[in-house]
């Protein structure tokens, strides 16, 4: 099914997340400098779709995800979920919407309460949102969900430290899915796992997505994993979206100079092509989000930068299939 035929679930409009940081030598009356973690990002997510989000550490991908789910407050912009702007809702309404959007975290063990057994960990959201459910009903739903994610129901009374990293991530997935949400935000869910376990977890997410009709926002460093799981991919740089495209188009024909550099580093399974391919190295470091370059935020590292790039910030132009933010793309 093409994007045009799918229902729009999430419409993020010009989202900004700025954190006020006090300068060390500031005078008492000096204003804090904003750290622009996310600086005007637009994304649309459709029913049943997986949107990959990639970029260097510090590019704002995790902050973007946290702002969508409401874990950090948006400074400006809208997060429209099924027609309602979540940033404008009061706490009670926001909370009720939260059961439709759940999150899976990077460090599976650290994200689970070590003092609770896994039955209680998975059941916690159920007890919060459906306090009227009987003990037996909760237990039965938890055991069904455990089976779904590949855990044996008879380990329900064990504690997180008794499980491997991959199993802990399955527990995290079960906890996220127990409320039957429409969207799961996966914040680097496989980066802390061994490669063989990564594949199992990614395949599990794909199976559950098909079975439960889920949409996913999948944040990762590993571009091969993102390519495998995503329908479309958003590339971020210094709090800005620089390119958005369907998976194959982005990997085969990247248009933004930053995306081209990223894609040139993806290993190719053919040893001859891999040996002879040209890797485009990026010069310099990521600038500080407290003092981003004027105009295009990528211009200090861009081999194509011109005077115009310092004066005018490029907009993300295009459509849901392919959009790019560069004066020369
Ligand atoms: S707008 Fe200019 S600096 Fe920015 S990516 Fe394009 S060419 Fe490079």
């Amino acid at each position: 099914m093409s994007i045009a035929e799918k229902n729009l679930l999430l419409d993020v409009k010009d989202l900004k997340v700025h954190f006020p940081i006090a300068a060390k030598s500031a005078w008492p009356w000096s204003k804090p400098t904003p750290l622009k973690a996310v600086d005007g990002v637009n994304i649309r997510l459709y029913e049943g779709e997986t949107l990959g989000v990639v970029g260097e550490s510090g590019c704002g991908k995790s902050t973007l995800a946290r702002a969508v789910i409401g874990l950090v407050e948006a400074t400006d912009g809208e997060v429209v979920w099924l027609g309602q702007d979540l940033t404008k809702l009061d706490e009670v309404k926001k909370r009720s919407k939260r059961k439709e959007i759940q999150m899976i975290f990077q460090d599976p063990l650290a994200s689970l309460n070590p003092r609770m057994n896994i039955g209680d960990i998975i059941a916690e959201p159920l007890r919060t949102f459906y306090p009227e459910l009987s003990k037996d009903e909760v237990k039965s739903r938890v055991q069904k969900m455990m089976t779904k994610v590949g855990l044996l129901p008879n380990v329900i009374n064990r504690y997180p430290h008794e499980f491997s990293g991959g199993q802990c991530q399955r527990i995290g997935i079960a906890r996220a899915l127990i409320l039957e949400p429409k969207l799961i935000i996966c914040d680097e869910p496989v980066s802390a796992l061994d490669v063989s376990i990564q594949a199992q977890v990614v395949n599990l997410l794909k199976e559950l997505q098909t079975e439960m009709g889920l949409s996913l926002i999948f944040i990762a460093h590993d571009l091969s994993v993102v390519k495998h799981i995503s329908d479309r991919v958003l590339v971020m740089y210094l709090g800005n979206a620089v390119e958005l495209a369907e998976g194959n188009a982005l990997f085969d024909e990247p248009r933004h100079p930053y995306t081209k550099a990223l894609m040139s580093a993806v290993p190719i399974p053919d040893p001859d092509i891999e040996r002879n391919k040209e890797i485009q190295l990026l010069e310099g470091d990521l600038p500080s989000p407290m003092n981003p370059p004027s105009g295009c935020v990528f211009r200090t590292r861009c081999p194509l930068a011109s005077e115009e790039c310092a004066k005018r910030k490029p907009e993300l132009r295009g459509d849901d299939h392919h959009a790019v933010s560069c004066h020369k793309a």
Side-chain angles (χ1 to χ4, degrees):
M1 197 189 282
S2 75
I3 285 177
E5 297 161 39
K6 292 182 181 175
N7 290 332
L8 181 65
L9 281 189
L10 178 72
D11 193 0
V12 174
K13 299 176 185 173
D14 200 20
L15 187 70
K16 293 183 182 161
V17 183
H18 294 179
F19 299 109
I21 305 284
K24 270 186 193 160
S25 60
W27 295 102
W29 56 85
S30 65
K31 281 187 185 166
T33 314
L35 185 152
K36 297 177 179 175
V38 177
D39 199 25
V41 170
N42 295 285
I43 46 170
R44 282 140 76 91
L45 181 80
Y46 293 86
E47 204 169 16
E49 181 190 27
T50 301
L51 177 72
V53 184
V54 298
E56 285 167 285
S57 298
C59 71
K61 47 193 191 310
S62 292
T63 309
L64 171 69
R66 281 171 161 74
V68 167
I69 202 171
L71 290 179
V72 296
E73 205 175 317
T75 312
D76 202 1
E78 294 176 21
V79 178
V80 182
W81 171 253
L82 293 169
Q84 267 192 313
D85 182 2
L86 300 183
T87 62
K88 305 275 183 317
L89 296 183
D90 60 37
E91 269 314 306
V92 178
K93 286 190 185 141
K94 222 183 254 180
R95 200 164 160 265
S96 82
K97 290 279 161 200
R98 233 169 248 162
K99 61 181 172 202
E100 295 170 358
I101 309 175
Q102 293 289 308
M103 192 153 181
I104 301 169
F105 297 91
Q106 179 177 6
D107 186 339
L109 188 57
S111 64
L112 305 175
N113 186 336
R115 282 186 284 273
M116 288 167 81
N117 67 39
I118 67 158
D120 287 337
I121 288 172
I122 298 170
E124 199 180 24
L126 263 189
R127 293 200 181 107
T128 306
F129 284 97
Y130 301 101
E132 70 280 7
L133 288 179
S134 69
K135 238 180 161 183
D136 287 347
E137 177 63 17
V138 169
K139 187 175 175 185
S140 144
R141 289 198 194 186
V142 167
Q143 287 187 317
K144 267 190 209 150
M145 188 50 74
M146 287 174 68
T147 310
K148 224 176 221 183
V149 300
L151 293 165
L152 292 172
N154 61 7
V155 297
I156 191 166
N157 292 321
R158 296 214 187 144
Y159 286 81
H161 70 269
E162 298 177 66
F163 294 89
S164 66
Q167 286 170 322
C168 283
Q169 199 53 290
R170 285 174 195 267
I171 299 166
I173 293 171
R175 183 187 154 93
L177 292 181
I178 195 80
L179 293 172
E180 299 184 357
K182 292 186 169 72
L183 166 63
I184 300 276
I185 297 178
C186 311
D187 188 5
E188 310 226 18
V190 293
S191 6
L193 305 175
D194 292 340
V195 176
S196 58
I197 309 297
Q198 284 185 7
Q200 287 176 16
V201 171
V202 168
N203 289 337
L204 172 68
L205 282 170
K206 283 185 90 168
E207 281 165 31
L208 292 169
Q209 178 178 32
T210 311
E211 195 183 326
M212 300 176 74
L214 293 167
S215 298
L216 303 177
I217 293 181
F218 193 93
I219 300 166
H221 272 109
D222 187 331
L223 295 170
S224 312
V225 173
V226 172
K227 185 179 182 185
H228 178 64
I229 196 168
S230 307
D231 299 302
R232 291 186 301 149
V233 181
L234 176 77
V235 183
M236 288 191 67
Y237 183 84
L238 211 63
N240 289 260
V242 298
E243 189 160 2
L244 171 78
E246 282 162 353
N248 288 340
L250 192 86
F251 284 83
D252 298 342
E253 293 168 55
R255 293 186 197 161
H256 192 281
Y258 177 61
T259 318
K260 286 181 184 171
L262 274 187
M263 297 309 157
S264 74
V266 179
I268 298 171
D270 184 322
D272 288 332
I273 302 177
E274 175 66 19
R275 206 174 303 123
N276 297 320
K277 83 173 182 195
E278 190 189 334
I279 295 185
Q280 299 179 24
L281 290 177
L282 282 179
E283 306 260 324
D285 295 324
L286 191 69
S288 163
M290 286 173 75
N291 185 23
S294 63
C296 173
V297 286
F298 186 57
R299 73 177 170 81
T300 51
R301 300 168 83 189
C302 179
L304 307 177
S306 64
E307 257 180 48
E308 186 195 12
C309 306
K311 288 184 192 148
R312 209 159 52 85
K313 184 172 177 172
E315 284 174 20
L316 190 73
R317 279 174 301 156
D319 55 23
D320 282 336
H321 299 280
H322 205 149
V324 60
S325 150
C326 172
H327 296 312
K328 296 182 184 171

